[in-house]
Each structure stands twice: as C-alpha cells, then as structure tokens.
C-alpha cells in the first residue's frame, strides 16, 4: 500500500470516528427513516379542534385562572413567507398576529383586542406571569419578529429581521390586552422563547447565531456549533418609555448550549427548563443571584424538543404523583427545510412526558432517573409541527388502577388548529 493510500485511509478513519456520532445522532433525532404511528384515541378522548388557533407556536397554562394563553399568526399563508424562526425572510409577507385565551373547559378560543398597539406582530414564544400587584391580572411577554427597515438586498451585512419583545398586560376574563412597552437590545438577535421571572426581569433564548445561509445550516446539524445563547433582560421602567431600547439592561445569562430553544417554568421558582431543539435534550437549570443560569441536569429524548412545560399534579399523593415535564417536537425534522415552505405538507409529531423516578435527587445528569413516555404521536394530519404542549388536569382524576387523566393541548408553529386529547398519566 502506497504512502498516499495509507494517509487517505488514516484520514478517512479519523473522519468516521469524529463524524460518526454526529451522523448517528442526527439520524436518530431528525428521523428521516422513522415511520409515524398516530396514537389511537378511544371514545371521548378527542381530538377536539380549537377553532381560530392558526399557527400558534407557544402555549402556556395559567393554573390560578385555569386558562391557556397563546400567540397566533391567524392567517395560514403568511408564515410560509416570513418567519425568522425558520429562516423565512420574505418581508412582503409580514402580517398581524394576535394573543388568544383558550378556556380548557369549553375548548373555545378568544382572540384578545389590542389596546395601544397596532402591529405588525409576528408571533413566536411567549410567557405569562401573574401581576404581583393584582392577582386578577397577568403580564404577557411575547416575541415579535419585525422586518428591519434598514435592510435592502444590496446590504447583506444588515439583518433582514429586527426582532424584539412586546410586553402586555391583561385583566383576566376580559377581552382586551394592553400594550405596556416594546423591548429591543443588540444582544437579542434571534429570539425564540421567554422565561419571565417578574414583570421587570426575564430571559430570552437566541436559537441561532446566524439568521440564514450555510452557517445557519451548520448550526442545525453540527453538535459542536454551540453558538447560541440565553440573554437576561432587566427593565428599569415599564411605562412611558421613549423607545424600545430605553430603560433596560441586558447580559448573557448562559452560553455553550447547542440550539437552545424553548424555555419553561419548572419545579421551583428558581428552576428553568431549557430545550435544545435539534439536540433532543431538556436542560434543568438554576437561576443564580447574578441572573446567570447553571445547568444541573439533562433529560434526553429521541426526537426534537421544542417548548417545554411542567405539569403540577393537583391530586398528587405519596403513592402517585403525576407531576412531570411535557415537551413536543417534530419527529421528522429532517424534511422541515422543504415542508416548512409548503402550506399543504405534513410534519409528523411526538409529545413526550417525563417524570422523576421515586427516590431520585433530580441531579443525576444525562436523564438518569427519569421515567419517559411517548404521550401522543401523529402523522401530521391531526396536528402539524407540534412545538408546545401542556396538560390540564381532569377533576376527580383518580381512575382505574390509580391512573390519572388530563387533557393534553398541543399546538404547532405550522398547525392550522390547536387540538386537545384526553390522556392517562
């Protein structure tokens, strides 16, 4: 064997050793060869279609009021042209989305009328927290992917999008939502989801470093491309601010995670759950006094993980506590670069449920000690691109052999309607 051939074989062996784990991971998480197995539902289990919930990417359950909150695009065709979360940057397609409240008892959606706000409003992640001065009201943080007015096709160094955060205030059970202020900062570049610690303090993920192009694709497929980060923002003033950039400070709260995406509240006020979308992992982190985040545990899944939520079992006992994390994702994200531009395509989904095993400490790392179960699956016909899912408990939930029931609400960034299905926990 010649020297050149030996060198080539050696290089090939090195590439296989280096690239092999990444390729195997991408095949497993992105599911190009996976066959969807839609969950069979019995009588009375649904699915119940929630009308007027077009392209609602994120979903939050406000337990004190027993209400669901979401932000929707409202018009089916717009997101296929303009949605920076997917790298769709045709500014001609920008529309006006809205905030909705869903009653989990009636399965009806109410579109809230804006006060002091007239858009554009391109929706993505949200968070909802109680007004500390009024328990009958909430603050709603919502990402808004605005086009950049300074961008032109001849200025490639200027981003096509100028995303920001909108802060709203809502009186529970009313039909309006009041705009408080807009929030814009150079550190907020590719915002995806929000964790609100208070009306003046929140975290936001930048899911990519690059908005478009080849390097964005590298971020999606290469596990070492840990270029995204999480930003903490402190608002010094809520009302009567002169601009979106005024009266605020921002800092990097965490970096070094691959494609950090969704954020959610977890088991305590200091715990934050972070998803790595293409990594298929949930990171359980602690909020520190300096507003940084420290990852303490990891839960590993076999599919893309999007916006996570935490279900608190109101009927828990020493024998059966059904509290756990819920996370939705696309089971064949390999095809999303093509299907994401097609209004008539199907994107199969999976919703996972993970609860801590008895006797666990919750700090074992890499998912040890977590009981994981596939809660719902679909081929994209009942729900497309599931990106968020929450559980709402059913009254008198103790069932056969101690099983508990809850309504699982699932929505997606390209789903024409949110759905609800009855599940056992």
């Amino acid at each position: 064997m010649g020297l050149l051939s030996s060198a080539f074989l050696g290089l090939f062996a090195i590439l296989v050793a280096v690239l092999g784990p990444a390729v195997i991971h991408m095949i497993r998480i992105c599911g190009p060869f996976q066959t969807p197995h839609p969950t069979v539902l019995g009588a009375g289990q649904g699915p119940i279609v929630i009308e007027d919930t077009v392209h609602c990417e994120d979903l939050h359950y406000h337990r004190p009021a027993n209400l669901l909150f979401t932000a929707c695009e409202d018009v089916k065709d717009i997101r296929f042209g303009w949605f920076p979360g997917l790298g769709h940057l045709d500014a001609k397609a920008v529309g006006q989305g809205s905030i909705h409240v869903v009653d989990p008892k009636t399965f009806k959606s109410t579109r809230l009328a804006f006060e002091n706000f007239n858009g554009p409003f391109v929706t993505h992640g949200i968070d909802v927290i109680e007004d500390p001065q009024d328990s009958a009201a909430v603050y709603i943080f919502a990402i808004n992917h605005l086009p950049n007015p300074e961008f032109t096709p001849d200025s490639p160094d200027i981003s096509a999008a100028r995303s920001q955060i909108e802060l709203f205030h809502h009186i529970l059970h009313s039909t309006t939502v009041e705009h408080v202020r807009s929030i814009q900062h150079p550190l907020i570049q590719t915002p995806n989801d929000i964790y609100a610690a208070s009306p003046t303090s929140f975290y936001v993920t930048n899911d990519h470093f690059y908005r478009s192009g080849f390097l964005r694709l590298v971020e999606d497929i290469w596990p070492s491309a840990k270029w995204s980060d999480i930003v903490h923002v402190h608002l010094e003033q809520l009302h009567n601010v002169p601009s979106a950039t005024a009266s605020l400070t921002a800092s990097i709260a965490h970096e070094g995670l691959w494609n950090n995406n969704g954020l959610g509240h977890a088991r305590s006020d200091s715990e934050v759950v972070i998803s790595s979308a293409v990594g298929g992992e949930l990171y359980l982190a602690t909020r520190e006094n300096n507003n940084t985040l420290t990852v303490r545990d990891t839960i590993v899944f076999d599919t893309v993980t999007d916006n996570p939520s935490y279900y608190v079992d109101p009927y828990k006992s020493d024998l059966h506590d059904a509290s756990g994390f819920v996370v939705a994702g696309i089971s064949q994200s390999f095809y999303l670069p093509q299907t994401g531009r097609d209004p008539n395509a199907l994107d199969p989904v999976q919703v996972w449920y993970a609860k801590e095993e008895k006797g666990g400490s919750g700090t074992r790392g890499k998912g040890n000690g977590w009981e994981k179960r596939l809660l719902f699956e679909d081929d994209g016909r009942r729900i497309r691109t599931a990106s968020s899912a929450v559980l709402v408990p059913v009254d008198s939930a103790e069932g056969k052999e101690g099983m508990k029931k809850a309504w699982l609400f699932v929505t997606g960034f390209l789903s024409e309607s949110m759905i609800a299905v009855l599940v056992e926990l």
Side-chain angles (χ1 to χ4, degrees), residues 55-319:
H55 296 178
C56 309
E57 198 268 352
D58 199 5
L59 181 63
H60 286 263
Y61 177 49
H62 185 61
R63 287 192 299 272
N66 192 34
L67 294 172
L68 300 165
F69 287 84
T70 187
C72 308
E73 200 65 35
D74 294 331
V75 179
K76 176 181 175 180
D77 294 334
I78 290 176
R79 183 153 289 191
F80 298 97
W82 177 265
F83 186 52
L86 288 178
H88 300 173
L89 299 172
D90 179 6
K92 298 176 182 178
V94 175
Q96 167 70 298
S98 62
I99 294 174
H100 295 236
V101 178
V102 177
D103 186 334
K105 291 183 177 180
T106 64
F107 304 98
K108 301 295 184 183
S109 172
T110 300
R111 188 185 302 202
L112 301 180
F114 287 124
E115 295 180 353
N116 306 322
F117 184 74
N118 54 11
F121 186 39
V122 181
T123 63
H124 204 160
I126 67 169
D127 199 10
V128 181
I129 59 167
E130 185 177 281
D131 182 342
Q133 298 180 348
D134 184 358
S135 61
V138 294
Y139 282 97
I140 304 170
F141 289 83
I143 288 169
N144 186 4
H145 288 300
L146 296 172
N148 188 346
E150 299 179 3
F151 172 80
T152 67
D154 298 326
S155 55
D157 294 335
I158 298 177
S159 174
R162 194 194 64 189
S163 303
Q164 62 185 35
I165 315 297
E166 310 295 350
L167 177 58
F168 298 94
H169 189 260
H170 170 67
I171 305 300
L172 295 171
H173 305 292
S174 72
T175 58
T176 61
V177 61
E178 178 187 10
H179 187 246
V180 177
R181 65 163 295 173
S182 298
I183 300 152
Q184 190 183 121
H185 191 275
L187 289 179
I188 303 173
Q189 289 293 316
T190 58
N192 185 300
D193 202 11
I194 300 170
Y195 174 104
S198 76
T200 59
S201 173
F202 68 93
Y203 297 84
V204 56
T205 53
N206 284 313
D207 58 22
H208 289 79
F209 184 83
Y210 295 94
R211 287 191 183 274
S212 60
F214 174 74
L215 288 176
R216 180 186 174 95
L217 176 62
V218 171
E219 288 187 87
D220 286 337
I221 65 174
W222 186 244
S224 297
K226 299 178 179 180
W227 306 326
S228 55
D229 55 30
I230 302 172
V231 177
H232 175 263
V233 179
H234 172 68
L235 302 177
E236 300 164 356
Q237 186 175 340
L238 293 184
H239 302 279
N240 302 316
V241 293
S243 70
T245 60
S247 301
L248 63 88
T249 57
S251 59
I252 300 297
H254 195 86
E255 54 189 347
L257 299 178
W258 182 27
N259 189 213
N260 48 211
N261 189 287
L263 292 172
H265 296 261
R267 297 167 293 183
S268 68
D269 289 340
S270 63
E271 188 175 55
V272 181
V273 56
I274 310 161
S275 74
S276 169
V278 292
E281 297 179 332
L282 293 186
Y283 306 112
L284 306 185
T286 300
R287 291 194 290 123
E288 307 293 352
N289 291 333
N290 62 356
N291 296 317
T292 60
L293 297 172
T294 302
V295 174
R296 306 289 186 185
D297 196 9
T298 305
I299 310 175
V300 181
F301 296 89
D302 290 331
T303 187
V304 166
T305 55
D306 213 315
N307 299 315
S309 65
Y310 185 71
Y311 173 68
V312 178
D313 181 5
Y315 308 106
K316 67 180 180 180
S317 66
D318 292 339
L319 295 176

